[in-house]
Amino acid sequence: MDDRHLIEEKLSSIELFKGRLLHAFRDTVKLPDGATTSREYVVHPGAVMIVPLIEDATGGLRVVLERQFRYPVGQVMIEFPAGKLDPGEDIQVCAQRELMEETGYTAMEWARAGVLHPVISYSTEFIDIWFARGLTQGARQLDQGEFLDVFTATPTELLAWCRDGRVTDAKTLTAALWLQNVLSGAWQLDWKQATAPPIAG
């Protein structure tokens, strides 16, 4: 498919802000019809999200979730474990590290589901989606200043919360779609053994 009639060409770029996490720019671009305009956007290092699967005492399936206050929206949100990539970090290693640091769990098997772009209108951010199973509980290693609750729910409970608007986090809504299709057998995962044990960042 030829997309040349849609693509914008960068002509110049100005740095607007550089923080610990976010890096903002304003670019001048040429539109497909030859006109020019500006685009403001944030460069993000990328992140991972993990859908941890665990069996309860009766053999039923549950997922590991978190409750965390998110300052920009002023709310405690229900989310799957997630975190940003460190410079040069392997994506699966990042997923293993974030799961262990935030929840205390390590997993024997991992499967990459896909990638999502949560805010394509103003950020380069991508989130790699991973499933984890064969969980073993350990001690959490939260970052300084990080506060969150870890709990489990059934997939049915999670999907009801998505339907009812209790879960509004975009990455968790996307993960719920993946979970629903994996559990129904419509979408397949390629499970692999964990890489080297995670090292806390």
Side-chain angles (χ1 to χ4, degrees), residues 48-52 81 91-100 105-113 129-135 189-196 198:
V48 297
M49 171 181 58
I50 307 98
V51 180
I91 291 179
Q92 183 176 348
V93 170
C94 179
Q96 294 178 197
R97 175 179 60 77
E98 287 292 344
L99 179 64
M100 182 268 292
Y105 284 106
T106 54
M108 291 181 59
E109 292 185 292
W110 290 81
R112 182 181 182 273
I129 307 166
W130 289 80
F131 278 66
R133 68 185 182 188
L135 302 187
L189 293 173
D190 182 17
W191 290 97
K192 297 186 183 333
Q193 293 295 310
T195 59

Side-chain angles (χ1 to χ4, degrees), residues 170-189:
K171 67 182 181 298
T172 303
L173 291 169
T174 302
L177 173 68
W178 265 97
L179 178 64
Q180 187 176 43
N181 281 282
V182 167
L183 294 181
S184 74
W187 295 358
Q188 303 299 315
L189 293 173

